[in-house]
Amino acid sequence: MSTNEEKQRYSREELLEFENIIQEKLTNARKEVAFIKETLSRRNDSGTDNTASPTKVLEDGADTAEKESLNQLASRQMKFMQQLENALIRIKNGTYGVCIVTGKLIPKERLRAVPHTQHSIEAKLQRND
């Protein structure tokens, strides 16, 4: 390949680097989801007091809001994990790192920052117009 020719795919070594980044992010996301589920489980276990004082009502409201917030966080993490797993599939089938809009190779810097992306900055900016 001449230096003027634009690269179409990442090398096996480059893909291995991205795979390692993705695996690390997946491991961290799984730990976070497990922590959130454990926190929610502990909250459910401690909610057996049936006193009806005004303070208890306020605590219940705050507790419900916190549970909703934790559930949303867990949901976002699960979606992120699915995107990372899809990226691993793209590595295996040879389509990883190629923008689905422009067909060009997504720069390494972008993939290191957002390893599950399927869009180059150029394509992302077009979508936001």
Side-chain angles (χ1 to χ4, degrees):
M1 174 169 36
S2 72
T3 52
N4 294 342
E5 218 178 303
E6 202 170 317
K7 191 168 152 179
Q8 297 295 309
R9 298 273 186 266
Y10 283 111
S11 71
R12 184 168 286 150
E13 292 77 23
E14 290 166 322
L15 290 175
L16 186 59
E17 176 194 344
F18 294 128
E19 186 173 350
N20 289 334
I21 291 169
I22 292 167
Q23 290 289 6
E24 185 178 331
K25 287 188 180 291
L26 257 175
T27 299
N28 291 337
R30 285 184 182 121
K31 286 178 186 172
E32 192 165 329
V33 168
F35 177 77
I36 293 167
K37 285 181 177 178
E38 185 182 312
T39 301
L40 284 168
S41 176
R42 264 188 276 125
R43 294 235 188 283
N44 289 338
D45 291 346
S46 65
T48 56
D49 185 9
N50 287 331
T51 58
S53 70
T55 307
K56 177 70 176 143
V57 172
L58 287 174
E59 286 173 4
D60 285 348
D63 196 41
T64 300
E66 190 173 357
K67 283 180 188 175
E68 282 180 26
S69 178
L70 286 170
N71 276 318
Q72 287 174 350
L73 183 59
S75 178
R76 277 196 301 274
Q77 282 298 96
M78 306 263 296
K79 182 180 177 188
F80 179 55
M81 287 166 44
Q82 184 61 57
Q83 291 170 330
L84 291 170
E85 287 167 359
N86 290 343
L88 289 175
I89 293 167
R90 290 193 301 277
I91 286 174
K92 284 181 179 43
N93 71 21
T95 60
Y96 182 82
V98 178
C99 177
I100 60 173
V101 175
T102 65
K104 295 178 184 172
L105 213 52
I106 301 169
K108 281 186 187 181
E109 299 74 32
R110 176 153 170 76
L111 289 171
R112 285 183 184 122
V114 190
H116 60 283
T117 190
Q118 296 185 72
H119 296 94
S120 62
I121 291 291
E122 178 186 345
K124 187 156 177 58
L125 291 174
Q126 286 174 11
R127 285 178 47 200
N128 292 337
D129 284 347

